[in-house]
Amino acid sequence: MNGNMMQMPLLISALIRHADRYHGDVEIVSRPAADEIHRYTWRDAHHRSRQLAKALLALGVRPSSRVGTLAWNTHRHLELYFAVSGIGAVINTVNPRLFQEQIEYIVNHAEDEIVFFDLPFAPLVEKIAPRCRGVRAWVALCDRERMPDSGLPLSCYEELVAAQTDNYTWPQFDENTAASLCYTSGTTGNPKGVLFAHRSTLLHTFGISLADSLAVSSRDVVLPVTPMFHVFSWGLPYAACMVGAKLVLPGAQLDGANLYQLFEAEAVTFTSGVPTVWLGLLQFLETQKVAPSTLKRVVIGGSACPPAMIDKFAALGIEVIHAWGMTETSPVSTTNQPKAKHLSLPADKLRQLRTKQGRPGFGVDLKIVDSEGRELPRDGVAFGDLMVRGPWVAAGYFKGDGGDVLRDGWFPTGDVATLDADGFVQITDRSKDVIKSGGEWISSIGVENIAIAHPGVAEAAVIGVAHPKWDERPLLVIVRKEGEALSRDQMLDFLRGKLAKWWLPDDVVFVDSLPHTATGKLSKLTLRQQLKDYRWPAASAAGG
Ligand code: ADP
């Protein structure tokens, strides 16, 4: 027997319709160019999304057609989120920081029919267009005055929108229809596409808005620093729309000074980003001796947030919510929010808990397994391969790439983690970055977290290097802060006593900068290649 409830599919268009009707006067602020601030409301965004929907249909976009974007966080990109998915087509947000060949690969593999791009990417578009033959139109995200000179017959976004009225009703269709497509960076091999559905997106949006997750509400002013091309800014534009929060879209200027200026000008309360972004902001705040006056929470994920960073934000009265996820999980899977029983913990124990990657809310299920697939205890000590399942977790890749990826209905994350009885996860490494020393595993993240706390260290990475006696030993690679003269021995002295003796790196190497991926994470693959000629000092090589 079915229930007698209304059949209303969970569609992305319902989000923007709701925001228009119930939060129509709430502002969206966007910085599409360094010299331009654009302001309008959720009502205006809905109005323009419907005009854009009609423009897309006029360009021949049909249900299931793929529409690409190469764009920063702006109101126009937001309109594309709602218009493309709203008509039943699929938005493919492409990371413009990838190598040109990867971008071409993605646009072709996704079969993007139209590509919308921000002006700084006009030269890139000129280069890739001849090799992306399936793209019928390249649309510059600007008005007529700012249209770039180009050998290509470019279309102008503002003209396309202005040519349409907003007399359009969003179609209703099955909530399992594909809404969006995002490619994982693919550190090895080609990028793989994760195809999200309307239903999975809405459930994820409900999930991350909960108080025990990111706690997004209509009283927030949300500024996602996480790019809209990187798993939809971790879902924050949808969440802001669902709850009717003011949304601030910072464009391409993500340095400390520009972020601070926007935080203050727009009274931002909540922001998001990978740890590397916050290094810039914290350094700016430190040197300028200023502090954000309205910012309350920052969600940090994408790679491990060092405890020292959590402390620095705490000293400014800003709470860090450490989160873990991946493109394949929409992306948010765990968020670090203490339970009632944790609030009475001594400060050092609570701090220790809050440095973990958090726990899953309803909708995400986790387990850790050994190499045979046997489940390991949830005791916070045993570590193994982290597996995830849930209604916003991928069941496979676009076009079947990678074959059957699930194992007994679980998605293997490629991360190694511990899991405790309360569900708190601690990621020790990506499985390919784990250091195997004398039959035991050393967590590179565990060592980096301590090294980064030294005041002379700007960035730290630990990689395993082959060792004649121990298989592999950890090598610490440091970028010093400007003007610091930190030595190898000072660094090792600092670490001594703070971690297990056999976790102590055998050597320290100083470099000017560390390699990062297109999503701002440390690229250990590149670092290992850069240091392939490194040899251990004689004492270490002898097994000392
Ligand atoms: P890619 O880096 O390939 O673009 P994702 O953005 O999907 O792909 O990255 C997901 C991976 O990032 C996770 O599998 C995990 O290794 C890492 N990651 C994400 N959040 C955290 C975190 N809080 N701590 C440690 N690692 C994290």
Side-chain angles (χ1 to χ4, degrees):
M1 182 163 64
N2 286 341
N4 277 339
M5 309 312 279
M6 292 184 190
Q7 288 295 317
M8 294 184 73
L10 300 173
L11 297 181
I12 286 173
S13 53
L15 287 176
I16 187 87
R17 208 173 39 222
H18 175 87
D20 174 349
R21 187 163 292 169
Y22 299 102
H23 308 282
D25 60 345
V26 176
E27 262 190 316
I28 299 168
V29 181
S30 150
R31 190 163 56 191
D35 60 347
E36 193 187 349
I37 287 280
H38 177 274
R39 284 174 194 281
Y40 68 168
T41 62
W42 281 110
R43 179 155 303 136
D44 300 326
H46 188 208
H47 170 77
R48 285 189 24 116
S49 298
R50 281 173 294 165
Q51 287 178 287
L52 177 58
K54 287 172 74 172
L56 290 167
L57 292 168
L59 284 169
V61 177
R62 296 286 171 263
S64 301
S65 293
R66 266 81 69 198
V67 173
T69 63
L70 284 163
W72 292 106
N73 297 9
T74 70
H75 64 290
R76 295 186 180 110
H77 206 176
L78 185 75
E79 291 159 7
L80 282 158
Y81 270 33
F82 291 106
V84 175
S85 303
I87 64 172
V90 176
I91 184 165
N92 172 32
T93 53
V94 185
N95 183 342
R97 291 186 187 138
L98 292 170
F99 295 121
Q100 187 187 318
E101 298 72 41
Q102 287 177 311
I103 295 175
E104 285 167 15
Y105 174 86
I106 290 171
V107 169
N108 288 327
H109 187 271
E111 300 174 55
D112 289 337
E113 296 176 15
I114 317 272
V115 173
F116 290 81
F117 65 93
D118 272 337
L119 295 188
F121 306 123
L124 171 71
V125 162
E126 293 241 344
K127 282 192 220 139
I128 65 174
R131 279 188 284 272
C132 297
R133 291 288 177 197
V135 178
R136 283 200 305 275
W138 299 88
V139 184
L141 289 162
C142 62
D143 52 24
R144 180 47 60 187
E145 284 87 80
R146 290 187 190 238
M147 280 297 282
D149 283 333
S150 171
L152 295 171
L154 300 179
S155 305
C156 167
Y157 182 84
E158 288 299 331
E159 283 184 355
L160 289 180
V161 172
Q164 303 292 336
T165 69
D166 72 345
N167 183 11
Y168 178 72
T169 307
W170 299 112
Q172 297 294 294
F173 42 77
D174 183 351
E175 64 188 21
N176 290 300
T177 304
S180 55
L181 178 62
C182 245
Y183 283 72
T184 59
S185 345
T187 36
T188 52
N190 282 325
K192 291 199 281 292
V194 180
L195 188 62
F196 306 88
H198 285 258
R199 171 187 157 82
S200 67
T201 303
L202 263 78
L203 293 176
H204 177 260
T205 310
F206 276 121
I208 66 170
S209 302
L210 291 175
D212 266 355
S213 183
L214 303 181
V216 191
S217 88
S218 59
R219 293 165 297 285
D220 274 314
V221 179
V222 178
L223 187 154
V225 177
T226 320
M228 287 173 74
F229 56 72
H230 190 207
V231 227
F232 318 106
S233 298
W234 301 343
L236 285 173
Y238 297 122
C241 183
M242 180 179 270
V243 303
K246 174 175 166 182
L247 184 61
V248 184
L249 299 168
Q253 285 74 40
L254 303 177
D255 57 284
N258 270 301
L259 282 180
Y260 174 71
Q261 184 272 327
L262 261 191
F263 287 159
E264 292 303 287
E266 302 303 331
V268 171
T269 61
F270 181 45
T271 186
S272 68
V274 294
T276 22
V277 162
W278 305 122
L279 292 175
L281 177 79
L282 288 168
Q283 205 158 358
F284 172 82
L285 299 178
E286 224 166 83
T287 52
Q288 300 297 309
K289 301 200 172 18
V290 288
S293 57
T294 56
L295 191 62
K296 301 260 182 329
R297 299 179 334 279
V298 45
V299 52
I300 303 184
S303 47
C305 177
M309 186 171 275
I310 300 181
D311 294 343
K312 279 191 184 156
F313 275 111
L316 297 167
I318 299 164
E319 183 195 10
V320 168
I321 305 171
H322 194 187
W324 167 83
M326 54 200 310
T327 308
E328 291 86 338
T329 66
S330 290
V332 180
S333 302
T334 63
T335 44
N336 195 317
Q337 294 279 8
K339 298 183 180 184
K341 67 179 177 187
H342 297 133
L343 297 178
S344 52
L345 282 175
D348 60 323
K349 288 267 181 299
L350 184 59
R351 177 181 181 274
Q352 215 176 3
L353 181 85
R354 298 223 63 177
T355 62
K356 293 189 174 193
Q357 278 76 3
R359 59 193 167 89
F362 176 75
V364 173
D365 195 9
L366 299 173
K367 68 172 178 179
I368 49 170
V369 298
D370 65 13
S371 53
E372 312 292 313
R374 284 179 302 236
E375 187 165 349
L376 292 166
R378 296 164 187 262
D379 59 5
V381 180
F383 54 98
D385 295 322
L386 183 62
M387 314 289 281
V388 59
R389 67 179 178 188
W392 59 80
V393 177
Y397 291 101
F398 188 44
K399 297 185 171 173
D401 284 356
D404 279 342
V405 287
L406 301 191
R407 281 197 237 143
D408 298 330
W410 293 77
F411 183 86
T413 66
D415 287 330
V416 176
T418 66
L419 196 55
D420 73 14
D422 290 313
F424 279 81
V425 164
Q426 182 144 31
I427 306 286
T428 61
D429 261 307
R430 275 195 161 185
S431 54
K432 51 185 180 290
D433 295 334
V434 161
I435 301 166
K436 296 168 195 96
S437 173
E440 301 278 357
W441 285 8
I442 296 174
S443 159
S444 64
I445 295 178
V447 182
E448 288 157 8
N449 276 348
I450 298 173
I452 194 82
H454 189 289
V457 173
E459 239 188 314
V462 175
I463 53 170
V465 173
H467 189 279
K469 179 162 178 195
W470 303 109
D471 294 337
E472 270 186 339
R473 289 292 301 154
L475 173 69
L476 175 58
V477 189
I478 295 281
V479 180
R480 293 187 190 97
K481 274 199 190 147
E482 233 175 84
E484 293 285 343
L486 177 68
S487 72
R488 168 190 188 276
D489 291 343
Q490 284 169 331
M491 190 67 235
L492 291 176
D493 280 346
F494 177 79
L495 296 178
R496 225 166 256 128
K498 297 191 177 77
L499 36 77
K501 227 171 163 184
W502 57 280
W503 281 33
L504 193 72
D506 282 28
D507 198 10
V508 183
V509 170
F510 293 94
V511 294
D512 292 337
S513 66
L514 287 169
H516 291 97
T517 68
T519 50
K521 304 175 193 200
L522 259 178
S523 175
K524 295 206 178 165
L525 188 77
T526 315
L527 185 61
R528 280 193 289 264
Q529 280 161 359
Q530 286 174 355
L531 291 170
K532 66 178 183 333
D533 296 328
Y534 172 85
R535 295 288 171 269
W536 292 115
S540 159

